[in-house]
Amino acid sequence: MRNASNFVLAGLLVSSNLLGLIGTSQYATAQTSAATTSTKALSSNAQKYQQMCQAAGGYFQTGTVNTPANSDYPQVTNYKSGKKLKGIPLSHTHIEITSTIDGNVYDVAIDNVFANDYNKNQYTVPASYAKGIVGGGTLYLCSGNPAKVPYSENEGIANSGFDWVHTNCAQSGFSSTFQNGFIYNDKNVNLTNNQTYCYLWP
């Protein structure tokens, strides 16, 4: 009986050890998979723009541009008026993106004065934004006002937001209190590199 009991006990111990090894192996595989997913979350293109933004001291986000079906806005690009600074209207183009980094939906307020085709007498989304920002496309965004972004939103779909996506004024010799910022689309076009109005933010 004792030999039989010992045999059963030994068998149970072997089974237990095997289950432990399998469980540990599955856990390790899951951990490796998670680490791989985390490492591969951003494309090489996104990583390039992230490094550019970090070097400039800005706040970086990247994601897919939302269409009206999954946005709080009626259009992909939406015009919003703003107050004037030194006689120049500070209007914005609003869009929403779903972040590749954290999955959040962000309301993005883009300064129209930094569009290459901005016209202070036209109260519409600049054509370069309307053409360069398309639903389902990818954007790489660097906010030049990192101290105040992201901020909470309560719009419905968007739960966070950021704005003041400034151009590279400081890099171009202007004395600016804002960090350098940019918006590149998936064609690697910089949509906010007009420096005509850099003088507004000394």
Side-chain angles (χ1 to χ4, degrees):
M1 279 299 281
R2 180 175 294 178
N3 287 339
S5 297
N6 287 344
F7 180 75
V8 171
L9 183 59
L12 288 171
L13 286 171
V14 169
S15 297
S16 175
N17 286 336
L18 282 173
L19 286 173
L21 286 171
I22 291 170
T24 302
S25 174
Q26 288 175 338
Y27 176 76
T29 302
Q31 290 292 93
T32 302
S33 176
T36 303
T37 302
S38 175
T39 303
K40 294 183 177 179
L42 291 181
S43 66
S44 58
N45 215 28
Q47 289 178 34
K48 175 184 75 173
Y49 289 122
Q50 184 181 45
Q51 289 168 4
M52 284 172 57
C53 187
Q54 287 174 344
Y59 167 78
F60 180 76
Q61 266 296 345
T62 181
T64 303
V65 180
N66 291 2
T67 59
N70 58 353
S71 169
D72 295 298
Y73 292 108
Q75 308 291 331
V76 172
T77 55
N78 304 270
Y79 177 86
K80 283 199 174 184
S81 61
K83 62 183 180 180
K84 290 185 177 182
L85 181 60
K86 300 178 183 177
I88 305 300
L90 299 184
S91 60
H92 288 83
T93 292
H94 279 257
I95 64 169
E96 287 187 2
I97 66 164
T98 298
S99 171
T100 304
I101 296 174
D102 55 30
N104 289 334
V105 176
Y106 288 89
D107 181 332
V108 185
I110 308 167
D111 293 280
N112 289 332
V113 295
F114 295 125
N116 282 320
D117 52 350
Y118 171 75
N119 185 332
K120 65 180 180 180
N121 298 315
Q122 291 182 350
Y123 299 92
T124 58
V125 172
S128 60
Y129 288 176
K131 182 181 177 182
I133 301 173
V134 297
T138 300
L139 289 183
Y140 310 98
L141 308 103
C142 183
S143 175
N145 193 18
K148 296 184 179 179
V149 292
Y151 48 77
S152 296
E153 283 284 1
N154 189 18
E155 297 183 346
I157 296 176
N159 48 31
S160 301
F162 59 97
D163 58 9
W164 295 106
V165 183
H166 278 250
T167 189
N168 57 340
C169 292
Q171 283 186 351
S172 303
F174 290 91
S175 176
S176 177
T177 55
F178 293 96
Q179 303 296 331
N180 296 316
F182 57 74
I183 297 181
Y184 282 86
N185 62 14
D186 45 16
K187 299 185 187 308
N188 297 313
V189 174
N190 187 351
L191 298 170
T192 58
N193 59 355
N194 178 16
Q195 297 163 12
T196 304
Y197 298 97
C198 285
Y199 72 88
L200 294 174
W201 292 276

